[in-house]
Amino acid sequence: MNHYANRGVVVFVSLALFFSAGLLSSCDKGGDQSSAKPAKPAKVGKMVMGFSQIGSESDWRAAETVSIKAEAEKRGVDLRFSDAQQKQENQIKALRSFISQGVDVIVLCPVVETGWEPVLREISKAGIPVILADRGVDVSDPSLYLAFIGSDFVEEGRRAAKWLSANTTGDVKVFELRGTPGASCATDRKKGFEEVLAAPENSRIKIVQSQDGNFERGRGKEVMEAFLKTKEGKDFNALYAHNDDMALGAIQAMKEAGLKPGTDVKIVSVDGVKAAFEAMVAGELNCTVECSPLLGPAVFDLAEALVTKRVKVKEGVYDQTTAKDVIGSRKY
Ligand code: AHR
């Protein structure tokens, strides 16, 4: 599912709802400003951030973790880091633990898109803002998170296909190595790629087989080894890998099988990690579509704006029964 198309709207609406909820909580009680419960002061000490990371399946993921940790250190944020080892259930446990620790803000990189609604409701009840970093979630109520910070994965898929279209002639038989099943980036990168292939001028390019490689280099190699033994594996001339790590693993498998990756097989992948550039320089990878993992600065800018600089204005509702008591203390 592509959430990117309305992400801009989601960011705006969610922030608006979040801030207005703060205002409403003081408005709906009504009465005099002086008798209202004092507002929770804006955060003055160290901000505490819970960060639920997917794991360490790729060079991209490692770079994202470094970016978030380095930014936390630079800004003096108390970062509670949790590595879910690719398991959604571990992420859910970590999120519940962040609630009980009373963190100020939660950053979630969701391994898959679905299944988050119950825990996001618990977080929302606890009044903790959630920032999605990198991958999206599929929820019926977009106000369950405040913002998404990350890339347009559908567009990445389109770019990969456009490159292949512009840099090949004749029949192109593509093997597709997909990312983690159910991950927004895997779904969307496939969608964008297929969208471009559906254009009449690209009817010469066909996906002949598509398999999961979980975004891991080792898995990419194993899957390619198995594919090379199939009928389609004897007669393909292009690889589309949803990330560089899987492409690099597949390149290794092709070399071991006596193929010349980059020449016999055109290879396009996504991420733009350093090892992909090395493979391009060596002539073994043809193209990488950039997906930046350097999300730390944007995540912390937003978190600080939400947590540290959030000031609620106390307001009331008055009627004829309270007007006489309040009129004397009115300053405006
Ligand atoms: O969610 C981003 C993807 O996850 C990256 O493309 C991939 O390398 C990572 O593991």
Side-chain angles (χ1 to χ4, degrees):
M1 183 168 181
N2 173 23
H3 298 281
Y4 194 86
N6 51 18
R7 260 168 205 157
V9 178
V10 168
V11 170
F12 174 74
V13 170
S14 301
L15 288 169
L17 285 173
F18 182 75
F19 284 112
S20 64
L23 292 175
L24 281 173
S25 66
S26 55
C27 288
D28 59 10
K29 292 186 187 89
D32 187 346
Q33 288 179 337
S34 57
S35 62
K37 239 173 115 193
K40 198 177 162 195
K43 183 92 185 160
V44 280
K46 246 189 182 191
M47 174 167 72
V48 181
M49 175 186 283
F51 173 38
S52 172
Q53 178 57 293
I54 293 169
S56 52
E57 73 280 4
S58 61
D59 286 0
W60 189 101
R61 186 67 51 203
E64 189 204 28
T65 298
V66 167
S67 173
I68 302 268
K69 284 186 172 174
E71 205 62 26
E73 187 155 348
K74 189 169 133 196
R75 302 193 193 206
V77 170
D78 177 355
L79 186 73
R80 313 275 166 92
F81 176 78
S82 172
D83 177 338
Q85 316 266 325
Q86 306 297 316
K87 293 201 174 85
Q88 184 179 33
E89 73 231 47
N90 291 346
Q91 290 205 281
I92 292 173
K93 268 188 216 153
L95 295 175
R96 293 201 167 117
S97 147
F98 294 152
I99 298 175
S100 51
Q101 290 172 52
V103 302
D104 298 308
V105 59
I106 289 175
V107 177
L108 169 64
C109 299
V111 60
V112 291
E113 266 188 303
T114 56
W116 299 102
E117 201 135 340
V119 73
L120 287 179
R121 288 199 187 283
E122 291 168 38
I123 298 172
S124 164
K125 256 191 178 171
I128 303 170
V130 173
I131 298 170
L132 297 179
D134 162 32
R135 298 184 187 173
V137 296
D138 188 359
V139 285
S140 62
D141 176 2
S143 73
L144 287 174
Y145 62 90
L146 279 166
F148 169 89
I149 298 178
S151 306
D152 182 342
F153 301 129
V154 177
E155 181 54 23
E156 289 168 354
R158 287 189 199 115
R159 288 179 175 180
K162 283 179 190 165
W163 183 90
L164 201 60
S165 171
N167 290 277
T168 54
T169 51
D171 285 351
V172 180
K173 295 172 184 171
V174 184
F175 176 47
E176 180 187 34
L177 259 173
R178 298 191 306 263
T180 307
S184 63
C185 44
T187 310
D188 289 354
R189 285 174 187 164
K190 181 172 184 59
K191 185 179 171 183
F193 192 81
E194 287 178 344
E195 185 188 301
V196 172
L197 261 45
E201 66 273 21
N202 289 325
S203 61
R204 65 187 176 82
I205 308 175
K206 297 261 183 283
I207 295 177
V208 293
Q209 228 190 86
S210 175
Q211 284 186 41
D212 297 329
N214 280 331
F215 288 124
E216 294 162 5
R217 200 174 294 199
R219 194 73 197 118
K221 181 169 186 278
E222 284 166 15
V223 174
M224 178 52 83
E225 282 165 353
F227 172 68
L228 290 174
K229 293 181 184 134
T230 66
K231 191 171 135 266
E232 291 85 0
K234 308 264 180 273
D235 178 35
F236 78 115
N237 52 11
L239 168 69
Y240 168 43
H242 288 190
N243 82 343
D244 290 339
D245 277 77
M246 291 189 295
L248 294 165
I251 286 171
Q252 191 55 37
M254 285 186 249
K255 285 195 324 193
E256 286 172 17
L259 285 170
K260 270 188 131 194
T263 308
D264 298 336
V265 179
K266 292 270 189 207
I267 306 170
V268 55
S269 59
V270 183
D271 277 356
V273 298
K274 200 162 186 177
F277 281 85
E278 285 161 3
M280 285 192 289
V281 170
E284 296 174 343
L285 174 72
N286 300 86
C287 172
T288 184
V289 174
E290 188 171 33
C291 172
S292 176
L294 307 178
L295 306 182
V299 165
F300 282 82
D301 281 351
L302 182 59
E304 283 182 351
L306 288 170
V307 176
T308 314
K309 295 174 189 161
R310 191 185 60 180
V311 180
K312 291 180 190 172
V313 179
K314 284 280 177 188
E315 293 156 328
V317 175
Y318 311 100
D319 60 15
Q320 291 175 355
T321 63
T322 51
K324 265 194 273 160
D325 303 329
V326 174
I327 195 164
S329 61
R330 292 309 280 173
K331 293 192 173 70
Y332 68 98

